[in-house]
Amino acid sequence: MSARRRRRAAAEQEEEEEEEEEAAEAGSDKEVDLEERLRELDLRSDSDIPDVPPPTDSTPEILKRALSGLSARWKNWWIRGILSLAMISGFFLIIYLGSFMLMLLVLSIQVKCYHEIITIGYRVYHSYDLPWFRSLSWYFLLCVNYFFYGETVADYFATFVQRREQLQFLIRYHRFISFALYLTGFCMFVLSLVKKHYRLQFYMFAWTHVTLLITVTQSHLVIQNLFEGMIWFLVPISSVICNDITAYIFGFFFGRTPLIKLSPKKTWEGFIGGFFSTVVFGFIFSYFLAQHQYFVCPVEYNSETNRFVTECEPSELFQMKMYSVPPLLQAVLGWETVNMYPFQMHSFALSTFASLIGPFGGFFASGFKRAFKIKDFADTIPGHGGIMDRFDCQYLMATFVHVYITSFIRGPNPSKLLKQLLILQPEQQLSVYKTLKSHLVEKGILQPSLRG
Amino acid sequence: LQESESENKLDGETASDSESKSDFGGLSPVPTSDDTPEVLNRALSNLSSRWKNWWVRGILTLAMITFFFIIIYLGPMVLMTIVMCVQIKCFHEIITIGYNVYHSYDLPWFRTLSWYFLLCVNYFFYGETVTDYFFTLVQREEPLRILSKYHRFISFALYLTGFCMFVLSLVKKHYRLQFYMFGWTHVTLLIVVTQSHLIIHNLFEGMIWFIVPISCVICNDIMAYMFGFFFGRTPLIKLSPKKTWEGFIGGFFSTVLFGLLLSYVMSGYRCFTCPVEFNNDTNSFTVDCEPSELFQLQEYNIPVVLQSVVGWKTVRMYPFQIHSIALSTFASLIGPFGGFFASGFKRAFKIKDFANTIPGHGGIMDRFDCQYLMATFVNVYIASFIRGPNPSKLIQQFLTLRPDQQLHIFNTLKAHLVDRGILGSLEDA
């Protein structure tokens, strides 16, 4: 019943839209008010931001009973607090379980975020009934994931892959296979275009692709950061979470000046307080993490034991050095030199980005929610909304950390380089070998051996 | 009854602009605005409108093909510039459609932001490719060296600036429109910019990898049109009622044949088959090399089936011609899907053509819609089947590694070479 009403509403809206467009083509309405044109794109009138009805309450019964005596404001505070603690504990547990579990976690979060955003698209465009579309969206997600996992993960599992013939074939022609899979999806989309629903289908196609661009590429950057060393995964994520929490707390207690019209609850006091606390937190947290090999070493796959190992000689980033304190701070702190890890300097950059630019990801998500008039992305987490609500600031952070690492920290990936060397033609390999050898001898890294 | 009527209008197609009404060779498409130059108009004034349209299209087609030959003659640098211009024009056309659809000319900042994002993404891509090909030039000039070393970081910072400007420009009443335009811009960038860069990559591999695919798509377009014009009867797909199975199949066979012939002619010339390189001394592009084995004539045995038909036992061909069969097949079978996609897009947004730039043909995007899939396919094909990674690029990357990593790689490579017998175990440089 409601489906038919929805269709009728959509039909009426489309009819209205079409009439307006025909009038527009008659060339008369350059002067028409912008709001009137906007009306045709919305299903309800889109003037001021309406007070949306509260979402369905998914708080578990037990919490509700425990908190039944408190006022609504404190009750909400407690629910959010308890769930925050629960999520943070879950996070620690997974870290303890190791890199592989973290990878799985990142993958599940990616799939859930994708699902949430796509579901919003379905709701906005009332396109549940579009033929094929749900299958195609999931198919594209699969293709893009296959492509990315093949590119990154194959490098890390190089020794594992060398042993198996079928995997070798898949790796060698990986790009071609991924492209063929994607093309199949593309052709299926073109063949599925139905006369009455062209525009909707194109919208959903674009929606799917933008979502893929946002969620999938960045979750793979997160995994690449993880492989660089768990500290590069933990410190950025914790900085963003810390910034969220401390900005909220500072805003709660001291907040007075609104920050941006998009998110009226954010205040300048919260923003600045969050910035300073996050920098201090990042600094201290990196100090603790930098001491343990488990966090600092690049993740490698040991083909003998068939598991991930994090064991290495810590790079110079993670070895204590003496730094002279600049005269300005000397007076404040009273020390002349301080022992720090070089990584802590990098953590300044990471925390600064998390506090200053990370919130723009949050504003973007807020704008998106207002644009499509939803309160939260979904109702997965009681008191917090959907998974996407928690991770909206993380995405910019992940890309930043990846770009930071490739620009300032490490060079190219050695195993990937090796893999490419092994694909070359024999004559090319020989010439490369000779060039490398002369270079190494020149730098004294290789002793010139017996000449035959 | 009411509902079914309104449902008929759901996709916005009115009876008048629906192409399903016109026969394949009957009515000519209603011209939106007549861009034809006066000269042509006068010359063709006494012909019927059907033949007039045919002549206009024909003359413009010849003009475009001649233009194409001229720029090939002028060399790789001009080609790169032309690809860049085409890309910008396509981007402009698609964005303009977005503005028209969403009536969003008046959105604050948006036009500036769209062009800014175009600039950022182009900067990123050109930086990545230019660094590889102009490596020695870049290393010599100090500012260029720093730009290339921190290239990703700089590009990301530029993009972020645009992103933050977008967030700050969100205006209360226009959120949804602004997000739509943001999404529209990004999808357009994804389609137009990435693929124009793939075309340039293909070009650097050797001009033949640029010319043969583009010519195959053009040939398929023209041949399918001709076959459809003279023999067309069975409609191919509801999206484009003018396409027919006869045109499709006829186009396929002619394109394969055309590809074979064109590759045969082009493989003989070094200026087409050699990779484009930048010569540091003369500061210009050169195409001079020893042709790879792809471009050296070889004897092939004709399969028994064809022997009776053709009458020869063996044939001398370039190996590249075998690849050209793959390229032409893709151009004829999958390339049209790009065209259907563009047709669906035009129907969805109720436009006849992307723009009116070329008389009789529509906009630049109309001519290039099938090319995009082709460019990506050729790039993937080359990367998978033709060339491996670029050795000089690998050496550059090697030189940036740490000494212990370099040693590890060197030893592994050595062990691999010894293993394969390419290097004797005691042999030295």
Side-chain angles (χ1 to χ4, degrees):
Chain A
M1 184 65 153
S2 60
R4 207 187 323 149
R5 224 181 297 148
R6 257 185 304 160
R7 269 203 295 268
R8 177 185 288 253
E12 279 171 10
Q13 177 250 320
E14 286 276 346
E15 206 177 311
E16 225 182 353
E17 184 179 338
E18 207 201 308
E19 280 171 20
E20 291 237 348
E21 289 212 24
E22 285 193 41
E25 277 171 37
S28 59
D29 68 333
K30 283 296 182 200
E31 325 304 320
V32 170
D33 195 31
L34 191 62
E35 265 128 287
E36 207 169 300
R37 293 184 201 168
L38 291 181
R39 196 167 45 86
E40 72 197 28
L41 289 170
D42 293 333
L43 304 172
R44 295 162 269 179
S45 63
D46 183 16
S47 44
D48 286 353
I49 298 142
D51 262 339
V52 269
T56 54
D57 192 6
S58 55
T59 335
E61 255 321 292
I62 178 168
L63 270 180
K64 273 205 235 175
R65 261 183 282 128
L67 303 167
S68 53
L70 298 164
S71 76
R73 177 187 180 195
W74 284 105
K75 182 168 165 188
N76 192 51
W77 207 93
W78 272 105
I79 293 181
R80 282 182 77 106
I82 291 176
L83 260 304
S84 301
L85 282 176
M87 288 194 288
I88 293 178
S89 323
F91 188 44
F92 280 145
L93 185 68
I94 306 234
I95 292 173
Y96 176 73
L97 289 176
S99 328
F100 189 66
M101 292 305 293
L102 270 172
M103 269 176 66
L104 282 185
L105 179 71
V106 172
L107 184 61
S108 342
I109 290 178
Q110 173 211 101
V111 172
K112 189 70 179 68
C113 286
Y114 181 79
H115 174 72
E116 284 180 3
I117 301 183
I118 291 287
T119 310
I120 293 175
Y122 290 153
R123 269 210 310 249
V124 169
Y125 293 116
H126 299 292
S127 53
Y128 276 122
D129 312 318
L130 274 186
W132 283 93
F133 212 81
R134 256 173 298 176
S135 333
L136 273 177
S137 302
W138 290 106
Y139 178 81
F140 280 127
L141 177 68
L142 203 74
C143 282
V144 181
N145 265 317
Y146 175 76
F147 172 67
F148 276 116
Y149 271 100
E151 295 266 306
T152 44
V153 170
D155 296 337
Y156 293 107
F157 288 85
T159 35
F160 179 77
V161 164
Q162 297 290 57
R163 277 184 291 180
R164 289 166 177 66
E165 269 312 305
Q166 314 90 320
L167 289 184
Q168 283 248 22
F169 173 78
L170 283 182
I171 298 291
R172 208 180 144 73
Y173 298 110
H174 178 253
R175 283 201 180 178
F176 192 76
I177 295 173
S178 315
F179 184 62
L181 288 176
Y182 176 81
L183 266 191
T184 315
F186 182 85
C187 295
M188 296 306 317
F189 169 72
V190 172
L191 293 173
S192 79
L193 287 173
V194 173
K195 194 170 179 185
K196 299 188 180 81
H197 306 309
Y198 287 145
R199 193 184 284 217
L200 279 187
Q201 290 181 296
F202 270 92
Y203 279 161
M204 285 311 294
F205 185 79
W207 191 288
T208 305
H209 278 67
V210 176
T211 312
L212 283 174
L213 194 73
I214 299 176
T215 56
V216 179
T217 54
Q218 306 204 42
S219 78
H220 279 272
L221 293 179
V222 168
I223 291 184
Q224 282 195 291
N225 297 343
L226 175 69
F227 271 89
E228 192 63 23
M230 274 170 73
I231 198 174
W232 289 104
F233 172 78
L234 290 175
V235 168
I237 290 188
S238 328
S239 300
V240 174
I241 295 176
C242 168
N243 185 61
D244 255 357
I245 295 177
T246 47
Y248 183 75
I249 292 181
F250 273 85
F252 194 80
F253 290 116
F254 306 116
R256 249 189 314 265
T257 339
L259 180 61
I260 187 173
K261 281 186 306 232
L262 261 181
S263 298
K265 282 201 214 157
K266 308 266 188 223
T267 57
W268 275 103
E269 289 84 7
F271 188 68
I272 295 179
F275 170 58
F276 283 111
S277 354
T278 307
V279 169
V280 171
F281 168 82
F283 198 73
I284 299 178
F285 192 53
S286 343
Y287 179 79
F288 284 115
L289 286 186
Q291 294 168 349
H292 300 101
Q293 264 190 15
Y294 181 68
F295 296 120
V296 154
C297 292
V299 176
E300 268 154 39
Y301 181 75
N302 189 326
S303 35
E304 286 125 46
T305 61
N306 265 5
R307 43 176 48 243
F308 289 100
V309 291
T310 47
E311 258 170 39
C312 64
E313 194 58 45
S315 84
E316 54 178 32
L317 266 189
F318 302 105
Q319 288 168 13
M320 280 254 206
K321 282 216 283 239
M322 301 255 307
Y323 285 91
S324 341
V325 180
L328 271 175
L329 290 179
Q330 264 185 29
V332 174
L333 291 175
W335 296 324
E336 280 191 2
T337 61
V338 68
N339 271 332
M340 276 195 338
Y341 294 101
F343 180 76
Q344 293 183 271
M345 306 298 267
H346 293 297
S347 82
F348 273 135
L350 299 181
S351 330
T352 308
F353 185 86
S355 328
L356 299 185
I357 311 287
F360 277 90
F363 300 150
F364 186 83
S366 294
F368 180 83
K369 286 188 280 192
R370 285 170 185 282
F372 297 101
K373 286 179 288 185
I374 51 182
K375 176 88 179 61
D376 288 315
F377 279 92
D379 289 323
T380 321
I381 311 177
H384 285 268
I387 300 274
M388 195 61 202
D389 288 293
R390 289 300 92 216
F391 285 88
D392 49 23
C393 302
Q394 300 283 2
Y395 281 123
L396 278 182
M397 191 75 208
T399 318
F400 174 75
V401 174
H402 182 81
V403 171
Y404 190 85
I405 293 178
T406 47
S407 303
F408 299 114
I409 309 293
R410 70 158 160 85
N413 183 359
S415 37
K416 188 165 187 168
L417 192 59
L418 191 59
K419 183 186 87 155
Q420 290 185 313
L421 278 174
L422 295 177
I423 299 180
L424 287 175
Q425 304 291 333
E427 318 85 57
Q428 292 173 315
Q429 285 180 342
L430 204 54
S431 86
V432 168
Y433 172 78
K434 291 181 188 165
T435 319
L436 296 186
K437 181 165 189 175
S438 58
H439 170 82
L440 288 177
V441 166
E442 206 182 294
K443 295 269 175 153
I445 301 169
L446 190 71
Q447 305 305 320
S449 49
L450 313 152
R451 296 202 152 253
Chain B
L1 210 73
Q2 189 85 17
E3 203 168 306
S4 66
E5 264 187 319
S6 56
E7 288 224 20
N8 269 335
K9 287 192 168 187
L10 194 66
D11 71 334
E13 275 199 315
T14 55
S16 60
D17 69 347
S18 153
E19 280 190 23
S20 57
K21 285 284 196 128
S22 57
D23 295 329
F24 59 88
L27 301 172
S28 53
V30 178
T32 41
S33 65
D34 195 0
D35 255 14
T36 336
E38 253 326 287
V39 193
L40 276 178
N41 261 332
R42 261 183 281 126
L44 304 167
S45 54
N46 43 353
L47 297 167
S48 76
S49 70
R50 172 189 182 189
W51 284 103
K52 180 172 169 188
N53 190 56
W54 207 92
W55 272 104
V56 169
R57 281 182 77 104
I59 291 175
L60 260 303
T61 308
L62 281 176
M64 288 193 290
I65 293 180
T66 317
F67 182 65
F68 188 44
F69 280 144
I70 291 178
I71 53 178
I72 291 175
Y73 177 72
L74 288 176
M77 191 66 185
V78 179
L79 267 173
M80 269 175 67
T81 320
I82 296 285
V83 171
M84 178 96 181
C85 298
V86 168
Q87 172 211 103
I88 293 179
K89 190 69 177 70
C90 288
F91 182 78
H92 174 72
E93 284 180 5
I94 301 183
I95 291 288
T96 311
I97 292 175
Y99 290 153
N100 286 333
V101 170
Y102 294 116
H103 302 291
S104 52
Y105 272 121
D106 313 321
L107 274 187
W109 284 93
F110 212 82
R111 257 175 297 179
T112 322
L113 273 177
S114 303
W115 288 105
Y116 178 80
F117 280 127
L118 177 68
L119 202 76
C120 283
V121 181
N122 264 317
Y123 175 76
F124 172 68
F125 277 117
Y126 269 101
E128 297 263 306
T129 36
V130 163
T131 313
D132 294 338
Y133 290 110
F134 290 84
F135 186 65
T136 28
L137 175 69
V138 166
Q139 295 293 73
R140 267 187 308 188
E141 313 281 333
E142 209 26 55
L144 286 184
R145 202 180 63 81
I146 296 186
L147 278 183
S148 97
K149 191 164 152 65
Y150 298 110
H151 178 252
R152 282 199 183 184
F153 191 75
I154 296 174
S155 317
F156 183 62
L158 288 175
Y159 177 81
L160 265 191
T161 315
F163 183 85
C164 295
M165 297 306 316
F166 169 72
V167 172
L168 293 172
S169 79
L170 287 174
V171 174
K172 198 170 179 185
K173 298 192 184 74
H174 308 314
Y175 288 145
R176 194 185 283 216
L177 273 190
Q178 291 182 294
F179 271 93
Y180 278 159
M181 285 310 294
F182 187 79
W184 191 288
T185 305
H186 279 68
V187 176
T188 311
L189 283 174
L190 194 72
I191 297 176
V192 171
V193 179
T194 54
Q195 307 205 42
S196 77
H197 280 272
L198 293 179
I199 291 183
I200 292 185
H201 269 286
N202 298 343
L203 177 68
F204 271 88
E205 193 64 24
M207 276 170 70
I208 198 173
W209 290 103
F210 171 79
I211 296 175
V212 168
I214 290 187
S215 322
C216 287
V217 174
I218 295 175
C219 169
N220 185 61
D221 255 357
I222 296 177
M223 288 295 141
Y225 184 77
M226 298 256 182
F227 274 83
F229 195 79
F230 290 115
F231 307 115
R233 250 188 313 264
T234 338
L236 180 59
I237 188 173
K238 282 189 304 242
L239 259 181
S240 297
K242 285 204 210 158
K243 309 264 188 230
T244 57
W245 275 104
E246 289 82 7
F248 188 70
I249 296 179
F252 169 60
F253 283 110
S254 353
T255 308
V256 170
L257 206 61
F258 170 81
L260 278 172
L261 290 173
L262 184 70
S263 337
Y264 180 78
V265 169
M266 294 191 98
S267 301
Y269 297 95
R270 253 195 264 173
C271 67
F272 295 126
T273 62
C274 288
V276 175
E277 269 156 37
F278 183 74
N279 191 326
N280 301 306
D281 311 311
T282 62
N283 265 4
S284 66
F285 288 102
T286 52
V287 274
D288 213 5
C289 67
E290 194 58 45
S292 84
E293 57 176 30
L294 266 189
F295 303 105
Q296 289 167 8
L297 276 174
Q298 273 177 24
E299 293 247 345
Y300 285 92
N301 296 322
I302 299 191
V304 186
V305 177
L306 286 179
Q307 265 187 26
S308 39
V309 173
V310 176
W312 298 321
K313 288 250 183 78
T314 60
V315 66
R316 290 173 65 83
M317 287 202 320
Y318 294 100
F320 180 76
Q321 292 183 272
I322 312 276
H323 292 296
S324 83
I325 296 182
L327 299 181
S328 334
T329 308
F330 184 87
S332 327
L333 299 186
I334 311 289
F337 277 90
F340 300 150
F341 186 84
S343 295
F345 180 83
K346 287 188 281 190
R347 283 168 183 279
F349 296 100
K350 288 181 289 181
I351 52 182
K352 178 85 182 60
D353 287 317
F354 280 91
N356 285 321
T357 321
I358 312 177
H361 285 268
I364 299 275
M365 194 63 202
D366 288 293
R367 289 300 93 215
F368 285 88
D369 50 21
C370 302
Q371 300 282 1
Y372 283 123
L373 278 181
M374 192 73 206
T376 318
F377 174 76
V378 174
N379 191 275
V380 171
Y381 190 85
I382 293 178
S384 304
F385 298 115
I386 309 292
R387 68 161 160 81
N390 184 359
S392 41
K393 184 171 181 177
L394 290 180
I395 293 182
Q396 289 163 32
Q397 291 186 320
F398 183 84
L399 297 176
T400 60
L401 287 175
R402 293 196 309 261
D404 57 315
Q405 293 172 317
Q406 290 182 343
L407 207 55
H408 168 72
I409 289 186
F410 176 76
N411 287 328
T412 316
L413 183 63
K414 180 172 185 173
H416 173 85
L417 287 175
V418 167
D419 212 26
R420 298 287 173 105
I422 302 169
L423 195 68
S425 52
L426 291 180
E427 201 181 297
D428 264 0

